[in-house]
Each structure stands twice: as structure tokens, then as C-alpha cells.
Amino acid sequence: MIEAPRGFIEVGSHCRYKHGQLTAGDTFLSRRVENGERIISVLSDGLGSGVKANVLSTLTATVAVNCMERNVPIERTARIIMETLPVCRTRHIRYATFTIVDIDRDGTARIIEYDNPPYVWLRGGEIVEPSRTTVEVEQSFGPPARLHFSQITVELGDRIVFFSDGISQAGLGSGAHPRGWGDAGVRATLESTVARYPEISARRLARRLVTAGARKDGEKAGDDITCGVTYFREPRRLLVATGPPVDARMDAELAERISTFEGRRIIAGGTTGTIVARELGATTSISLSALEPENPPHAHMEGVEMITEGIITLARVGEYLEDRTPPEQLPRNAAALMVEHLLESDSIEFVVGTRVNQAHQDPSVPVHLELRRTQVQRVSDLLRRRYLKDVSVSYL
């Protein structure tokens, strides 16, 4: 996410491997640059599938992001990529395609496309047709490579959706889609999905499109199916409070910060939850819907999304974020629910209490349960670096 004058840019992606493969031949890569002033995202499709395709698409995406970060001109960027990639001796084509989406914080988006299906620009539930310029890049063999370049200004609520041909060709050869799903089918699905769920996040929209494509293939994808989405919107804010303040006289201040916060709220820590409930005169109730031996249950309180245990849950959240497992595929425990809230938010504020919790000075507590501040730092670093979130941490 990057803060912009009119909103935030959310980036989400989802991928389904070709049936029978252990890795994707497609690569999706995003990077925040210039202190968050820009986000660069690249989707590259390696020729074929499996490890070889993955290596080539990863190489392409990495070169593209590095060139765009350094503001290398479009033609030069394309030429560097073309010169880096090997050529298929049989088909006489480069071994990877790519789509590059480069967005400034002022809402200006530059998109470069080479042999991927054309991107879709959504404004509300309707498609906006961008103006494209064709750029030809000379090659050492055959005709020049033809790239398409467009520059658009996104407005609040706009989305840019780009995908590999595994989506547009989904169902190829089937009775329902003998020629594949096609760009028209993909576009119609995007329009209807956004019209039905106007607030759908980039992550969820990418997952829905990939899932729909996999269904066209009878859940046995005939090619890697990958989708990336950028979504320009009002920031979704989340406050995570964990740990009691260093001084009990600051308990009221903590409760006030939580109650007046404009956005969703999570409390991580039973003692913290007890303090806030006491100060606000609220009652809590334990949820019995997600009980697991290794994960403490969470509780409910009016005005708060959830109250969880503290350090154990934060440690598990860090593990889930590190593994990149989509929350929909995680067990429905407190840590997974917290991950879902974190990924659905743009601007996340951690308020960390610094009072020593005597329970964690017990030598019987496992060594891997680090102090609360260390776990918060791990989670916040992952959210910034891997998930492009805007994260702040303050201490009480």
C-alpha cells in the first residue's frame, strides 16, 4: 500500500499451478520504491511450465522491477529484458512474457505489456478502455518485438487487473469453452463480480478470478493461472493493541485510544483485554467456534473485532505471514482470523504496552516465545516488506 492524496494502492495476487506441477511457471513480483512513493508490480509468464519456466519468469520479473525502479526508459527496459532472455529454437520466441504496472502516489499509472493478455481497467463495475501506444524493440532475430504502453490516471475506486493466458485460455478444448474462456468472458466475470461486491479487496478479487479459471479447467489447470490486481481506494485502517501500559495510570489512555480509533480494532493479550473492558465498562465472551489445543481461543467485545491471547498468537501470526499461506487455507483459529484482518487492512497501527508480564518470566515457557515487542516487530516488518502495508508502531 502507498499513501496517496486520494487513497491507497492495494496490491493483491493469486496463482494456481498447472496440474501436476510442483511450482508455478508464472511469477508475480511487487516492490515499494522511493520511500513508498511508487509501487511497481510485474506479472511474467515463463514459456511452458515447471521449474524452467519459473526460473525464466522470475528472471524477467526481477529485471523489470529493477529497471523500472531506476527509471530506465521503456524501450531500454524492454531491450534489457529481451537481451537477457534466451530464445526458443523451435518457436523462435522469447521464453517469457510480462506485464508491468508502475503507479505513483499521485495516481498516475504506467503499464507496459508484452504478449500477456491485455489488462483490464475497472472503474466501479464498468470497464474503461485505455489508449495504448505500440513500441517496437529490435531483436537479433525476426521482426521487432511489439510492446504496448499506456499511461492512465486512476481515480478512487479504480482497479487494474492483469493476468496470464492461463486465465483467458482456461477451459480450452472443453465442451463449454472449446476456444477457452477468452478475454470477453474474463471481462464479463470481472464486471459482474465488482458490481456484486463493490468493496472487494484486490487479494480477494484476484483469488476469485483464478478460482473461476480453474473451474473452467475442471479443477485441473491446463496451464499456470495467475492474476494480479491493483486497487486505488480509501485506506482501511486497523489498530492492534497488545500488552498493558508500563504504568497502570495509563490504562484509561489505552482504552480511549482504542474506543476513539476510526477503523477496526483488535486486542492481542488477555490482560490487555481485561484492562480495556474494565475501563470501558464492557463485557467479553469467549468464542467456541475455533477451539484448537495449540491455539488459545479468542473473545468478543462490543466495538472490537476480536480479543486474542498475546505472544503465542502473535508468534503464530508471524509464522502464517512468513509462509504466505492464504488465510482461506488456514485453520479457523484466532491467529488465522487476525491474519485475515491484517491482510484486508491498508494502514495498520500497533500500540504496544511495555509493562512486564510476569507469566513470561517463567523458565518453563518455551524459548521460541520471544518478548512481545520482538513479535510485533517481526509481524510489522513482514507486513511492510511482503504485503506492502503502511505500518506504524507506538509504545505505552
Side-chain angles (χ1 to χ4, degrees):
M1 316 303 162
I2 58 175
E3 187 175 3
R6 294 164 294 163
F8 272 51
I9 296 288
E10 181 201 11
V11 179
S13 67
H14 193 69
C15 177
R16 184 78 67 92
Y17 299 173
K18 179 180 179 179
H19 181 66
Q21 295 293 332
L22 298 177
T23 188
D26 297 345
T27 295
F28 184 87
L29 180 63
S30 287
R31 184 181 300 171
R32 295 181 69 166
V33 299
E34 297 178 4
N35 295 319
E37 292 294 309
R38 296 160 62 201
I39 285 185
I40 302 169
S41 301
V42 180
L43 170 58
S44 178
D45 181 354
L47 184 65
S49 58
V51 174
K52 181 179 179 180
N54 177 268
V55 170
L56 293 164
S57 64
T58 300
L59 173 64
T60 301
T62 303
V63 171
V65 167
N66 288 338
C67 286
M68 297 303 290
E69 180 178 0
R70 292 164 174 77
N71 296 309
V72 177
I74 296 168
E75 295 87 346
R76 179 58 181 156
T77 297
R79 189 170 294 108
I80 291 172
I81 295 173
M82 296 298 178
E83 292 173 353
T84 302
L85 290 172
V87 180
C88 176
R89 294 181 179 179
T90 303
R91 299 168 64 182
H92 300 291
I93 59 175
R94 296 293 177 185
Y95 270 105
T97 66
F98 57 85
T99 302
I100 305 171
V101 179
D102 180 359
I103 304 183
D104 291 336
R105 64 175 295 175
D106 64 0
T108 300
R110 292 160 291 277
I111 300 98
I112 307 170
E113 304 168 281
Y114 173 65
D115 272 6
N116 272 341
Y119 73 90
V120 179
W121 178 14
L122 283 163
R123 177 162 290 166
E126 298 182 356
I127 292 175
V128 180
E129 295 295 343
S131 175
R132 288 178 168 88
T133 300
T134 300
V135 178
E136 294 190 345
V137 178
E138 296 293 335
Q139 303 187 82
S140 58
F141 70 95
R146 296 172 61 86
L147 286 80
H148 303 290
F149 171 74
S150 53
Q151 180 168 311
I152 62 176
T153 301
V154 293
E155 297 181 358
L156 202 63
D158 284 9
R159 296 172 174 88
I160 299 172
V161 184
F162 46 114
F163 42 89
S164 62
D165 60 9
I167 287 185
S168 55
Q169 294 179 9
L172 186 66
S174 66
H177 303 279
R179 297 182 179 179
W181 194 6
D183 289 343
V186 174
R187 287 173 163 232
T189 298
L190 285 170
E191 284 185 309
S192 61
T193 301
V194 173
R196 184 177 181 183
Y197 306 102
E199 301 273 326
I200 189 170
S201 67
R203 182 179 65 86
R204 290 183 180 276
L205 181 58
R207 183 180 179 86
R208 277 183 172 270
L209 195 64
V210 169
T211 300
R215 289 199 190 102
K216 302 289 187 297
D217 281 329
E219 299 299 338
K220 294 182 178 181
D223 193 4
D224 299 298
I225 303 176
T226 307
C227 176
V229 178
T230 62
Y231 180 16
F232 194 74
R233 69 184 187 195
E234 290 281 2
R236 297 176 179 176
R237 303 181 67 220
L238 173 68
L239 174 70
V240 180
T242 179
V246 64
D247 190 326
R249 290 172 294 183
M250 300 173 68
D251 289 353
E253 179 184 342
L254 172 63
E256 183 179 4
R257 286 186 65 172
I258 293 173
S259 64
T260 59
F261 182 77
E262 296 184 359
R264 291 180 291 180
R265 309 151 184 137
I266 291 176
I267 298 173
T271 302
T272 313
T274 299
I275 290 172
V276 174
R278 182 195 69 218
E279 293 292 330
L280 298 180
T283 58
T284 62
S285 60
I286 299 295
S287 173
L288 301 178
S289 62
L291 296 178
E292 287 187 339
E294 298 181 357
N295 295 278
H298 64 281
H300 299 288
M301 183 175 75
E302 184 179 356
V304 174
E305 301 297 324
M306 60 189 299
I307 302 173
T308 74
E309 184 280 334
I311 292 180
I312 296 174
T313 302
L314 286 170
R316 186 57 54 87
V317 167
E319 292 173 5
Y320 288 157
L321 293 173
E322 186 78 41
D323 292 342
R324 295 180 182 265
T325 304
E328 296 84 1
Q329 298 176 14
L330 294 171
R332 303 309 289 168
N333 56 43
L337 294 175
M338 186 185 293
V339 167
E340 189 164 4
H341 283 299
L342 291 169
L343 295 185
E344 288 293 306
S345 302
D346 304 317
S347 178
I348 302 164
E349 179 180 346
F350 286 92
V351 177
V352 184
T354 55
R355 189 186 311 173
V356 174
N357 188 335
Q358 295 300 323
H360 296 131
Q361 307 308 306
D362 188 335
S364 66
V365 176
V367 175
H368 70 273
L369 294 181
E370 302 169 16
L371 294 173
R372 176 179 284 105
R373 280 179 287 187
T374 304
Q375 294 293 353
V376 169
Q377 190 62 52
R378 178 192 182 194
V379 170
S380 60
D381 286 346
L382 284 166
L383 290 170
R384 289 191 193 98
R385 176 167 43 87
R386 288 196 173 183
Y387 299 93
L388 308 181
K389 305 296 183 181
D390 184 14
V391 184
S392 63
V393 181
S394 59
Y395 298 92
L396 281 179

